[in-house]
């Protein structure tokens, strides 16, 4: 009979009532408990507890965990009863919002993230190297952070809790920087006829502005929005206003752009709102009033007067990088953009534009000099930066510039430059037929390098100034530049791995010197990392000529550190920590985006910032009536640096090839295909653990290692070997690269010559 009673008790316990997800979180936070503490007590994973508290899609505990969790919540409910329905406070609500919101937009003091020993040492090292120019610390954001809900407007006799009148700038309040205590940005919306500004941390401000010029004035004088500079000589970030469709209607702007306006990237200069701004003596930048408009008045002294607008319905937030962020409610959009702003920087445009702006923000081109004899300071070059002046277009090495550049204007019109005339450092796009032995295996397993191009930038020595042309130079692996050298003699069948020569099947390996993996046929231009790798493989190199940069430095280190920390912190909030064992890491990565879709958007935007920022270093002409041989707008930037882009891509490709060679030397396994940072191997199982050589939990030194850190790898996807052969036959494309489609197996955009 007792067994029956125990079974009945267990059945009842399996259905123990639980409060809503919001109340579960409130009780935990009220007692000062972290997700990790609750998870440890209940013997579950941190992400599991986070799922129980998820507002959008809460999961429900089962079995014995449910009864234990219910018992915990009951005890906490006795200690912290639910608050009564909010009523009108006895005293007036103070005009100043005294609690500074968390910069990432997540108000949960119990979830302050503790740095591991390794992270703390890295942070200390970065601080030591950057001195007063060290980037601001990355804000922590718990994975279970509450999403500020949209609330209905209060009646005329009652002020809704959470809605504050913005205090004038300079009003004392509890924030680290009183000027920006309401965060870096706000999403402006209209509810029940009232204009509201949704800030990070759940703060909502009443907006009294009746027109766009007055909205700009209010933002600068009262909203207390913005972000402190990231480096000592830099500038504070301007406040960002995100206008919803309702806000666009309120201020007389179209909710969508016409086809003509979309192609022009702006509304006409004779639009009534543009005229309003002009009458109020506000100016627009050369790009006009478009999806990322900047409204300003000329600076007086050190004081800036500038507000940036982001208009999602005008496609300001590219869905390839921001997903469905533009469709989110105002409070949730503020959460996403606020997290990105606190961890990367306030968006300045597309993710590519922001990636480039982050480089400048961390290494401003100028700084204040020491006082002169009269005590006056002057602007001077900031050491380690790219300078305030762009390189003269006619001083660029011809091999480093893209087609159509002014330095190539004397070339014949239809001349096609070959490897001996053009530096062509690009990512891999290579595939080969499978061997008979590989065809007997069952699966193709793809692994992807995390933040591969960011890892390629880490510690890379790049040129800071103009190049010097030298004839028949001795190769120096520490000197950044472009080298004309013949590497066709490098034989991958016999290479040095470390200090030992090893024999490999060179026919199954791509050449490390060309994006298509083909062996070079003669002299070609290469960036320094590529030539240095030929020396590392054990072969002599004799450059014929070179363009080298004697002024150089690790310009991208701070940029890499900022983006790496942003990526790791956000992935940790999604339940993917940097110190997970391989199997646990693969499990944590499975479905991580569903744990918090909004934070997953932030991860996507961070990764796009890396690739886009590097791409902007060699920005091509963008219409505007440009003709080959003429300069285009991007050439006037100090950050137009195709040589730096080429060096990063070169190092990224070489890093990948080095791991492939180590893996082949140890296991005898060779890649079937490579696309950029994705490598595909044939294996008997479906997991990377079925072919990666882990021994006693330790990865192959110098080879592939599972993990979330930049440069480590994750599982990209698995398909069958039959799938790989079938799609090549179906599309009549023997050279089809399976790495392009390994993620979900869907094959699109195949050029079969028809």
């Amino acid at each position: 009979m007792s067994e029956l009673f125990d079974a009945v008790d267990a059945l009842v316990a399996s259905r123990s009532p639980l409060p809503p997800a919001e109340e579960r979180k409130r009780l935990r936070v009220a007692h000062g408990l972290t997700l990790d503490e609750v998870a440890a007590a209940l013997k579950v994973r941190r992400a599991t507890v986070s799922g129980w508290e998820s507002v959008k899609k809460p999961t429900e505990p089962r079995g014995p965990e449910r009864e234990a969790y219910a018992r915990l919540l009951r005890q906490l409910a006795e200690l912290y009863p639910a608050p009564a329905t909010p009523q009108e406070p006895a005293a007036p609500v103070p005009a100043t919002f005294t609690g500074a919101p968390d910069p990432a937009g997540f108000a949960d003091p119990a979830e302050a993230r503790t740095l591991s020993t390794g992270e703390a040492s890295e942070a200390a090292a970065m601080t030591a190297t950057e001195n007063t120019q060290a980037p601001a610390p990355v804000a922590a954001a718990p994975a279970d952070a509450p999403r500020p809900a949209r609330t209905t407007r209060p009646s005329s006799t009652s002020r809704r809790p959470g809605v504050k009148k913005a205090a004038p700038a300079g009003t004392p309040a509890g924030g680290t920087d009183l000027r920006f205590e309401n965060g870096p940005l706000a999403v402006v919306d209209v509810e029940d006829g009232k204009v509201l500004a949704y800030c990070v941390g759940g703060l909502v401000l009443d907006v009294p502005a009746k027109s766009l010029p007055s909205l700009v004035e209010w933002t600068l004088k009262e909203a207390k929005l913005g972000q402190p500079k990231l480096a000592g000589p830099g500038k504070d970030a301007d406040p960002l206003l995100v206008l919803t469709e309702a806000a666009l209607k309120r201020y007389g702007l179209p909710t969508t752009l016409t086809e003509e306006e979309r192609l022009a990237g702006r509304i006409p200069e004779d639009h009534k709102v543009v005229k309003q701004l002009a009458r109020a003596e506000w100016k627009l930048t050369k790009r006009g009033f478009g999806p990322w408009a900047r409204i300003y008045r000329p600076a007086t002294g050190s004081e800036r007067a500038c507000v940036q607008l982001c208009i999602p319905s005008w496609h300001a937030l590219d869905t390839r990088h921001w997903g469905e962020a533009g469709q989110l409610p105002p409070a949730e959009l503020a959460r996403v953009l606020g997290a990105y702003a606190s961890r990367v920087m306030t968006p300045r445009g597309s993710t590519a534009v922001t990636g480039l702006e982050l480089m400048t923000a961390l290494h401003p081109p100028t700084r204040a000099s020491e006082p002169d004899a009269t005590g006056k300071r002057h602007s001077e070059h900031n050491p380690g930066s790219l300078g305030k002046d762009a390189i003269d277009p006619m001083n660029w090495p011809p091999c480093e510039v893209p087609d159509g550049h002014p330095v190539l204007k004397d070339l014949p019109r239809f001349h096609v430059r070959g490897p001996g005339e053009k530096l062509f450092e690009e990512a891999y796009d290579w595939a080969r037929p499978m061997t008979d032995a590989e065809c007997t295996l069952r699966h193709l397993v793809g692994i992807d390098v995390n933040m591969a191009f960011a890892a390629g930038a880490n510690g890379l020595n790049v040129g800071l100034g103009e190049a010097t042309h030298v004839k028949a130079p001795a190769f120096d692996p520490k000197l950044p530049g472009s080298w004309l050298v013949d590497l066709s003699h490098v034989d991958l069948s016999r290479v040095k791995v470390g200090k030992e020569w090893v024999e490999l099947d060179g026919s199954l390996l791509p050449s490390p010197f060309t994006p298509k993996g083909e062996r070079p046929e003669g002299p070609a231009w290469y960036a320094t990392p590529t030539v240095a790798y030929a020396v590392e493989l054990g072969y002599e190199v004799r450059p014929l000529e070179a363009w080298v940069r004697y002024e150089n430095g690790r310009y991208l280190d701070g940029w890499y550190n900022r983006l790496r920390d942003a990526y790791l912190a956000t992935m940790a909030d999604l339940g993917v920590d940097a110190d997970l064992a391989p199997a646990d890491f693969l499990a944590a990565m499975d479905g991580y985006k569903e744990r918090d879709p909004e934070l997953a958007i932030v991860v996507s935007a961070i990764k796009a910032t890396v690739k886009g920022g590097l791409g902007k270093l060699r920005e091509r002409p963008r219409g505007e009536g440009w003709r080959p041989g003429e300069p285009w707008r991007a050439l006037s930037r100090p950050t137009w640096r195709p040589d730096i882009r080429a060096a990063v891509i070169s190092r990224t490709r070489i890093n990948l090839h080095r791991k492939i060679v180590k893996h082949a030397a140890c296991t005898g396994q060779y890649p079937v295909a490579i696309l950029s940072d994705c490598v595909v191997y044939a294996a008997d199982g479906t997991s990377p653990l079925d072919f990666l050589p882990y021994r006693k939990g330790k990865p192959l030194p110098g080879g592939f290692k599972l993990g979330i850190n930049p440069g480590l790898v994750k599982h990209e996807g698995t398909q069958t070997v039959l799938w790989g052969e079938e799609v090549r036959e179906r599309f009549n494309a023997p050279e089809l690269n399976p790495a392009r489609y390994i993620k979900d197996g869907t094959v699109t955009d195949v050029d079969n010559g028809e």
Side-chain angles (χ1 to χ4, degrees):
M1 185 65 70
S2 62
E3 293 180 0
L4 293 176
F5 287 165
D6 291 341
V8 170
D9 291 342
L11 184 62
V12 173
S14 69
R15 298 294 187 271
S16 295
L18 297 173
E22 296 92 334
E23 178 66 4
R24 301 173 195 176
K25 172 160 179 131
R26 185 193 72 81
L27 293 171
R28 176 179 59 77
V29 173
H31 201 60
L33 298 175
T34 67
L35 288 172
D36 291 321
E37 289 173 329
V38 175
L42 300 180
K43 294 182 173 55
V44 296
R45 294 175 55 240
R46 180 185 189 276
T48 302
V49 181
S50 176
W52 296 344
E53 296 180 358
S54 173
V55 176
K56 184 172 287 188
K57 294 181 180 179
T59 57
E60 294 298 317
R62 301 174 181 273
E65 291 85 6
R66 185 181 184 94
E67 173 61 9
Y69 188 48
R71 180 183 179 87
L72 169 66
L73 296 176
R74 283 196 300 269
Q75 294 182 13
L76 293 177
E78 294 176 4
L79 295 173
Y80 310 99
T85 303
Q87 298 178 354
E88 181 73 11
V93 177
T96 302
F97 182 73
T98 57
D102 176 69
F106 306 101
D108 188 351
E111 286 301 314
R113 182 168 173 266
T114 302
L115 292 176
S116 66
T117 303
E119 290 171 319
S121 62
E122 288 177 357
M126 184 171 67
T127 302
T129 56
E130 293 294 327
N131 294 324
T132 59
Q133 300 183 30
V138 175
D144 66 323
R147 298 169 180 81
R150 291 174 64 96
T151 53
T152 57
R153 284 296 310 163
S155 66
S156 58
T157 59
S158 172
R159 171 171 289 280
R160 174 180 38 169
V163 179
K164 309 291 183 183
K165 285 187 179 297
T171 304
T176 55
D177 193 321
L178 302 182
R179 300 170 299 159
F180 312 128
E181 67 169 330
N182 291 336
L185 56 88
V187 180
V188 181
D189 192 31
V190 179
E191 290 187 11
D192 298 336
K194 297 287 288 185
V195 183
L196 302 175
Y198 289 81
C199 306
V200 298
L203 175 67
V204 185
L205 304 175
D206 278 327
V207 181
K210 304 297 184 183
S211 66
L212 192 63
S214 61
L215 176 64
V216 175
E217 295 275 5
W218 172 85
T219 302
L220 292 172
K221 293 181 179 179
E222 300 184 52
K224 304 180 79 170
L225 296 173
Q227 191 175 38
K229 58 189 177 183
L230 297 181
K235 299 176 182 177
D236 297 325
D238 299 317
L240 173 66
L241 296 181
V242 185
L243 303 183
T244 66
E245 292 189 28
L248 292 173
K249 293 179 181 177
R250 168 59 65 91
Y251 293 117
L253 291 163
T255 56
T256 58
L257 298 178
T258 65
E259 183 65 17
E260 183 180 354
E261 292 169 343
R262 187 187 64 80
L263 293 175
R266 67 186 75 185
I267 59 177
E269 294 183 3
D270 60 356
H271 191 280
K272 63 179 182 179
V273 173
V274 177
K275 291 181 177 179
Q276 285 177 2
L277 292 169
R279 285 195 298 269
E281 298 183 343
W282 289 104
K283 297 180 179 293
L284 293 166
T285 57
K286 290 183 179 180
R287 61 183 174 185
F289 202 122
W292 290 94
R294 297 189 73 79
I295 304 171
Y296 73 99
R297 285 181 180 141
T300 56
S302 61
E303 294 296 324
R304 289 171 58 83
C306 182
V307 172
Q308 179 159 320
L309 303 183
C310 168
I311 306 177
S313 64
W314 294 6
H315 306 291
L317 301 175
D318 192 328
T319 55
R320 293 172 298 174
H321 310 139
W322 290 101
E324 300 302 318
Q327 307 300 320
L328 292 174
E332 298 186 9
L333 180 55
R335 177 185 187 240
V336 170
L337 293 177
Y340 179 88
S342 67
R343 292 182 167 176
V344 180
M345 69 180 298
T346 303
R348 296 287 304 272
S350 66
T351 51
V353 169
T354 304
L356 196 67
E357 291 289 339
L358 181 62
M359 297 180 194
T360 303
L362 294 170
H363 283 286
T366 60
R367 67 178 183 183
S369 68
E370 293 296 324
D372 59 18
T374 64
K376 187 176 181 180
R377 296 179 183 269
H378 305 274
S379 177
E380 66 177 14
H381 172 64
N382 184 27
S385 74
L386 296 181
K388 65 178 181 178
D389 299 319
I391 295 176
D392 185 334
M394 302 311 293
N395 285 346
W396 273 99
C399 63
E400 292 182 348
V401 298
D403 294 337
H405 190 276
V407 81
L408 304 175
K409 64 180 181 180
D410 294 331
L411 286 179
R413 183 176 179 184
F414 297 106
H415 177 73
V416 178
R417 293 186 295 163
E421 300 173 279
K422 180 180 179 180
L423 177 68
F424 192 64
E425 295 284 9
E426 298 295 340
Y428 268 129
D429 185 357
W430 170 85
R432 63 168 175 81
M434 285 185 284
T435 65
D436 292 341
E438 289 167 340
C439 287
T440 64
L441 303 176
R442 293 180 295 174
H443 297 98
L444 296 175
V445 183
I447 53 177
D448 180 79
V449 181
N450 295 312
M451 300 271 283
F453 294 99
N458 182 30
L460 178 64
N461 202 34
V462 300
L464 300 178
E466 295 189 3
T468 300
H469 187 231
V470 291
K471 289 283 190 179
F475 176 68
D476 183 352
K478 297 181 180 179
L479 190 60
S482 301
W483 309 78
L484 181 62
V485 58
D486 188 352
L487 300 180
S488 61
H489 62 292
V490 177
D491 183 4
L492 295 180
S493 298
R494 186 172 184 271
V495 297
K496 263 190 175 181
V497 178
K499 296 182 179 180
E500 297 182 359
W501 287 90
V502 298
E503 305 288 336
L504 300 173
D505 188 341
S507 65
L508 301 181
L509 287 171
S511 167
F513 310 127
T514 61
K516 291 292 185 180
E518 302 163 343
R519 188 167 179 168
E521 297 180 352
W525 286 99
Y526 303 101
T528 298
T530 302
V531 185
Y533 186 58
V535 176
E536 179 184 326
L537 292 176
Y539 290 86
E540 183 182 8
V541 297
R542 294 181 180 178
L544 303 176
E545 59 178 296
W547 291 88
V548 296
R549 289 172 169 84
Y550 295 107
E551 182 188 356
N552 52 69
R554 292 167 57 159
Y555 173 74
L556 294 173
D557 275 10
W559 183 80
Y560 162 77
N561 289 333
R562 181 83 177 172
L563 291 165
R564 174 205 61 194
D565 292 348
Y567 176 69
L568 292 180
T570 311
M571 289 301 296
D573 292 335
L574 287 165
V576 186
D577 295 309
D579 55 356
L580 292 173
D584 293 336
F585 167 72
L586 293 174
M589 286 295 294
D590 187 19
Y592 76 92
K593 293 182 179 180
E594 283 71 37
R595 292 177 201 137
D596 191 329
E598 291 169 15
L599 278 185
I601 293 174
V602 178
V603 171
S604 173
I606 292 170
K607 293 193 289 188
T609 302
V610 173
K611 290 187 176 181
L614 293 172
K616 276 281 185 181
L617 291 170
R618 197 192 66 168
E619 184 174 352
R620 303 298 301 274
R622 302 178 64 183
E624 301 176 339
W626 175 81
R627 294 181 179 180
E630 296 178 350
W632 58 91
R633 185 185 302 179
L635 298 186
S636 63
R637 295 194 318 246
T639 49
W640 193 82
R641 295 298 302 270
D643 58 307
I644 295 179
R645 172 189 177 272
V648 173
I649 294 176
S650 164
R651 193 163 186 246
T652 302
R653 192 181 67 247
I654 293 308
N655 285 346
L656 185 61
H657 196 274
R658 184 182 292 111
K659 290 181 172 63
I660 290 170
V661 167
K662 292 258 187 175
H663 185 86
C666 176
T667 67
Q669 298 170 335
Y670 295 84
V672 172
I674 310 173
L675 181 70
S676 187
D677 48 10
C678 175
V679 188
V680 176
Y681 282 90
D684 258 331
T686 60
S687 167
L689 290 174
D690 291 316
F691 69 91
L692 292 183
Y694 274 82
R695 296 175 180 173
K696 297 181 179 180
K698 301 293 184 181
L700 171 68
F704 295 109
K705 178 183 178 182
L706 290 166
I708 198 59
N709 280 293
L712 305 189
V713 299
K714 62 180 181 294
H715 184 204
E716 178 69 4
T718 297
Q719 304 297 328
T720 64
V721 167
L722 291 178
W723 165 85
E725 293 302 305
E726 179 193 4
V727 293
R728 283 175 169 170
E729 293 180 5
R730 189 199 324 162
F731 292 99
N732 190 27
E735 302 302 319
L736 180 142
N737 190 337
R740 189 181 303 277
Y741 315 105
I742 194 72
K743 191 166 190 175
D744 59 10
T746 303
V747 182
T748 57
D749 302 326
V750 175
D751 181 6
N752 59 7
E754 297 182 2

